[in-house]
Amino acid sequence: MQKDKKMKQLDWENLGFSYIKTDYRFISHYKEGQWDEGSLTTDNKLHISEGSPALHYGQQCFEGMKAYRTKDGSINLFRPYENARRMKQSCERLLMPSYPEEDFVDAVKKVVKANEDWIPPYGSGSSLYIRPFVIGVGDNIGIKAAEEYIFSIFVIPVGSYFKGGLQPSNFIVSTYDRAAPRGTGAAKVGGNYAASLLPGKEAKERQFSDAVYLDPATQTKIEEVGAANFFGITHDDEFITPKSPSILNSITKRSLMWLAENRLGLTVKEGDVYIDELDQFKEAGACGTAAIVAPIGGLQVGKDFHVFYSEKEVGPVTMQLYNELVGIQFGDVKAPEGWIVKVD
């Protein structure tokens, strides 16, 4: 495969998180009750009906995952079957046909392999971001599920979330709700993210990294941090993270929970995290695909500002969790069975 000239000009160690047109993407169409075999294409434009339910009624979902170049030059996928299962759950919530899990992983492998020249080198701190998505398409205007769908995957090289190393940032509790009780908060659908744009913008205008959302029913419990999950480390070395039907089932969070218990020896709990009980935490962070782990320095709650470990330094437990997880992803730390899938 001939390398694109633009690829040669990339500064691998200083990549941001922005769209870059890579060589190939995968696309499959669902018609008359079944998915076709799908194929790779160089066309990065979708051709859909103006009546597509994805455009008018938000019938769409997506995933976020990464491929990593290891020290020996091989390519790691991190828990891709979990992404396949979560997309299945999102599709079911929006009455969309799910793409078969094994075929999902195979399609991811094909796209990553076809764009191998775009995978950042080991040691750069960068990775290949993978975006699978499903959208409802076809000629439609009534409020109903589509009869046709598109499943597609594209990839882009992205840099390390933290320039200059892992560092804490400050957040502010939002007065907006991210998702409704018993709504679509647990599904990875675009509407959840659209709802977060305004509070996120207002948080940044006040010099905070993003907004923290409370439970929509009582406004007393932490649910999510921007587009990520919250976790806290108590003074008794417990790893605590919120549990709610409105929270996205984070693969990164569940991985950290396992590592906290099995590698660091912490007690792990999922449950209510009340906004007026922040003093129980000596460290706090957000976690997700993009940042992996984002240490929370301080949290603005109304007129009060609560500092966890430090606004300038990362807490030792948070740092251990980050190093353990990133080490697994890049192949430097032994992975639990089934966590790493190789791209041949």
Side-chain angles (χ1 to χ4, degrees):
M1 187 183 300
Q2 186 176 359
K3 292 185 178 182
D4 190 305
K5 291 183 179 179
K6 287 187 290 186
M7 190 279 296
K8 297 179 182 179
Q9 298 172 3
L10 290 180
D11 183 354
W12 296 112
E13 295 183 0
N14 292 292
L15 290 173
F17 197 96
S18 58
Y19 181 82
I20 296 173
K21 183 180 182 294
T22 50
D23 296 330
Y24 295 95
R25 62 274 312 132
F26 179 87
I27 189 165
S28 175
H29 294 85
Y30 181 94
K31 293 182 180 180
E32 298 179 352
Q34 62 181 5
W35 292 101
D36 65 20
E37 292 184 2
S39 62
L40 295 174
T41 176
T42 59
D43 186 2
N44 70 330
K45 300 292 191 293
L46 291 177
H47 305 272
I48 64 174
S49 168
E50 61 189 356
S52 294
L55 301 177
H56 304 282
Y57 307 124
Q59 196 187 23
Q60 59 85 252
C61 67
F62 67 97
E63 277 298 316
M65 50 199 299
K66 289 179 178 178
Y68 304 85
R69 179 78 70 182
T70 67
K71 192 173 185 178
D72 65 9
S74 62
I75 304 167
N76 280 354
L77 296 177
F78 181 72
R79 308 193 75 176
Y81 286 96
E82 294 299 314
N83 292 98
R85 280 188 277 270
R86 188 170 66 180
M87 175 163 270
K88 181 177 184 293
Q89 295 167 356
S90 295
C91 284
E92 290 172 347
R93 178 63 179 82
L94 296 191
L95 283 180
M96 300 193 296
S98 59
Y99 202 73
E101 293 176 23
E102 197 67 47
D103 294 341
F104 175 102
V105 176
D106 286 343
V108 169
K109 288 181 178 179
K110 288 177 182 177
V111 178
V112 170
K113 186 65 177 178
N115 291 286
E116 185 172 357
D117 290 341
W118 293 95
I119 302 176
Y122 173 83
S124 65
S126 300
S127 55
L128 189 73
Y129 183 79
I130 306 165
R131 171 56 60 86
F133 62 93
V134 176
I135 59 173
V137 298
D139 297 326
N140 181 74
I141 197 61
I143 303 177
K144 61 181 182 179
E147 295 181 1
E148 300 178 8
Y149 296 86
I150 290 175
F151 168 69
S152 187
I153 308 170
F154 66 90
V155 299
I156 56 172
V158 296
S160 173
Y161 192 83
F162 297 99
K163 301 303 178 186
L166 194 66
Q167 52 192 322
S169 53
N170 297 330
F171 295 81
I172 183 171
V173 171
S174 176
T175 57
Y176 293 94
D177 291 330
R178 171 186 165 270
R182 296 175 296 280
T184 60
K188 197 168 177 66
V189 299
N192 298 341
Y193 296 83
S196 72
L197 294 177
L198 178 59
K201 177 176 180 289
E202 292 183 356
K204 292 176 176 63
E205 288 174 345
R206 294 185 60 180
Q207 308 305 309
F208 293 97
S209 290
D210 211 331
V212 169
Y213 300 98
L214 302 181
D215 70 295
T218 71
Q219 291 285 296
T220 62
K221 297 173 283 189
I222 291 177
E223 288 216 328
E224 293 211 335
V225 183
N229 280 195
F230 175 88
F231 70 87
I233 309 299
T234 71
H235 297 284
D236 296 325
D237 285 329
E238 295 177 327
F239 179 105
I240 298 181
T241 185
K243 185 175 184 179
S244 162
S246 297
I247 296 176
L248 180 69
N249 181 17
S250 168
I251 297 163
T252 304
K253 183 186 78 172
R254 285 191 283 110
S255 301
L256 289 174
M257 290 169 64
W258 191 94
L259 293 172
E261 181 176 8
N262 293 280
R263 297 279 173 92
L264 274 64
L266 306 181
T267 299
V268 173
K269 295 180 179 180
E270 274 189 289
D272 294 335
V273 179
Y274 288 96
I275 193 63
D276 61 357
E277 296 180 358
L278 298 179
D279 287 341
Q280 68 179 307
F281 299 114
K282 61 181 179 180
E283 299 179 31
C287 56
T289 300
I292 312 299
V293 172
I296 300 176
L299 179 59
Q300 188 74 40
V301 187
K303 295 181 180 180
D304 299 323
F305 184 70
H306 180 87
V307 176
F308 294 98
Y309 182 79
S310 168
E311 290 184 75
K312 297 182 179 179
E313 297 180 5
V314 181
V317 178
T318 302
M319 182 62 80
Q320 279 183 283
L321 287 168
Y322 175 81
N323 288 337
E324 191 77 12
L325 185 53
V326 171
I328 288 170
Q329 291 169 335
F330 281 102
D332 298 323
V333 174
K334 181 177 175 57
E337 185 176 355
W339 280 24
I340 296 298
V341 173
K342 288 289 186 182
V343 177
D344 300 319

